[in-house]
Amino acid sequence: MNGSHGSTAPSGIDARFLTRNGHAARQLAALLVRQGADGVGGRLPRVRDFAERLGVGNGTVQAGLRLLEEAGAIKTVARGHLGTFLVAADRAALWRLSGLGTLLAAMPLPYSRRYEGLATGLRVAFEDAGAPFAMTFRRGAAARIAALVEGKVELAVLSRFAADRMVERQPVELIADLGPATYAGAHGVLLRPGATLGSPRLRVAVDDSSEDQRMLAERFFAHRTAVEWVPCSPVQLREVFAQGRADATVWNLDEVPGQLGAEVQVLPLGDELTRDLAVRHASAALIGRAQEEEEGAGALAAVRNVLDLSTVTAVQGEVLRGERVPAY
């Protein structure tokens, strides 16, 4: 902040933004954040429209806009009867002044390079958007959803398949679908040496923390009456097969360790419905709590407008090709 424009409060916040006019400026910052890049170059709403939306007087809105300009968060130009136009915006400054805070996302454990690329892509996209962003890693969609519903995080990353099911059951909503192959590359059927799909009884490895993996496995082996489910996490998969405790599974091939051995057979998914489920599992989805705030007031509403999904997928692709070191 420019020291010539007022003092700084003990908390580190410019004291001007603690006044009535400052409060209006912070509300205006939140509204402008929601516009994202589309707002730059466009005409601002009329002062009286801002005033009606915020429930304040015209003079308070004008003072709030001046504060944002003095802080370097925006630059406007008046064009007579055409109105006032937003010609530049510092998104990081707007986000900071808006009070929207840091967005914490619950991510899947980075078992695979694809997950590492996803985490890296999200970090870069949020940085480019000027939005403070941090991650916590939790195994299993249920754990990530619990953290979201309990208010421990603002965002959660799941497969699109899991997200659709959770939206039906929990007070959460879809923020963004990141597209094909952003969550998983492909799924396949794994068979240990000596086992066949025609065996009279199969022990099938299943990750109880992953609703997606369990659903795919149950759907694929549904026609078999003699199936024993063997609990298994991604890090245990190699050991479970090596010790002969499981005969088969349906698994995300990104998570299959290279040391599983060439003797383990990898077969394609054959059933059309199972393949459809696998496609939905392969797309990453970003979800948040269903918004209770007044429209436009929430950070998640801002995410929809400022997050560039193409940045996420481009960076993830660079990580997958070895062109970028994962950093998250």
Side-chain angles (χ1 to χ4, degrees):
M1 300 288 181
N2 188 328
S4 64
H5 293 292
S7 61
T8 300
S11 61
I13 300 175
D14 188 318
R16 294 170 300 160
F17 288 90
L18 301 179
T19 64
R20 177 179 175 81
N21 291 343
H23 179 66
R26 294 167 75 87
Q27 290 179 296
L28 289 166
L31 293 176
L32 293 173
V33 163
R34 289 190 66 246
Q35 292 184 8
D38 294 338
V40 177
R43 185 175 62 184
L44 288 173
R46 296 172 300 180
V47 168
R48 66 171 175 268
D49 293 333
F50 271 138
E52 182 178 348
R53 185 162 188 177
L54 300 183
V56 298
N58 291 351
T60 301
V61 169
Q62 292 169 332
L65 289 171
R66 282 198 302 272
L67 281 177
L68 292 179
E69 291 219 48
E70 292 170 1
I74 61 171
K75 182 177 181 181
T76 64
V77 60
R79 294 175 180 167
H81 68 280
L82 295 177
T84 299
F85 288 75
L86 181 67
V87 295
D90 183 331
R91 289 180 292 183
L94 283 172
W95 195 284
R96 184 180 66 253
L97 292 171
S98 71
L100 292 174
T102 298
L103 295 169
L104 181 62
M107 301 284 295
L109 295 178
Y111 291 129
S112 67
R113 181 59 64 90
R114 194 174 307 274
Y115 285 159
E116 289 192 305
L118 178 58
T120 303
L122 285 169
R123 178 189 62 78
V124 172
F126 275 101
E127 284 182 356
D128 288 351
F133 181 67
M135 303 177 203
T136 180
F137 296 89
R138 297 177 185 239
R139 177 171 171 253
R144 295 194 290 279
I145 284 293
L148 179 63
V149 172
E150 293 167 7
K152 295 177 181 177
V153 299
E154 286 70 49
L155 301 166
V157 175
L158 313 173
S159 72
R160 179 60 192 267
F161 171 77
D164 288 343
R165 291 174 67 86
M166 291 300 176
V167 166
E168 296 174 354
R169 303 174 183 175
Q170 300 282 358
V172 299
E173 61 184 55
L174 180 70
I175 302 299
D177 184 327
L178 299 174
T182 51
Y183 197 78
H187 290 80
V189 181
L190 305 183
L191 285 174
R192 73 171 179 82
T196 69
L197 291 178
S199 299
R201 183 176 184 83
L202 283 174
R203 294 166 299 171
V204 178
V206 63
D207 184 355
D208 287 325
S209 73
S210 172
E211 185 172 6
D212 301 33
Q213 191 275 331
R214 173 174 276 281
M215 177 66 75
L216 286 170
E218 288 178 347
R219 187 64 59 90
F220 186 84
F221 293 101
H223 64 287
R224 304 175 188 278
T225 57
V227 171
E228 177 186 347
W229 301 106
V230 179
C232 177
S233 72
V235 296
Q236 294 174 318
L237 188 60
R238 176 174 178 266
E239 179 183 355
V240 165
F241 268 80
Q243 294 179 355
R245 289 190 279 135
D247 305 308
T249 191
V250 175
W251 212 266
N252 173 4
L253 297 182
D254 289 335
E255 297 179 353
V256 174
Q259 302 89 342
L260 204 57
E263 67 277 8
V264 173
Q265 297 182 67
V266 180
L267 306 177
L269 293 173
D271 176 73
E272 288 295 331
L273 183 57
T274 304
R275 282 202 297 270
D276 175 64
L277 290 175
V279 169
R280 291 170 65 202
H281 175 81
S283 297
L286 193 63
I287 66 172
R289 287 186 299 282
Q291 291 295 279
E292 298 177 354
E293 300 99 331
E294 179 181 339
E295 182 182 358
L300 299 187
V303 170
R304 284 195 172 96
N305 293 279
V306 304
L307 189 65
D308 185 348
L309 302 185
S310 65
T311 296
V312 180
T313 54
V315 171
Q316 184 182 45
E318 292 172 0
V319 172
L320 286 170
R321 293 189 298 270
E323 299 168 1
R324 178 190 285 259
V325 176
Y328 47 88

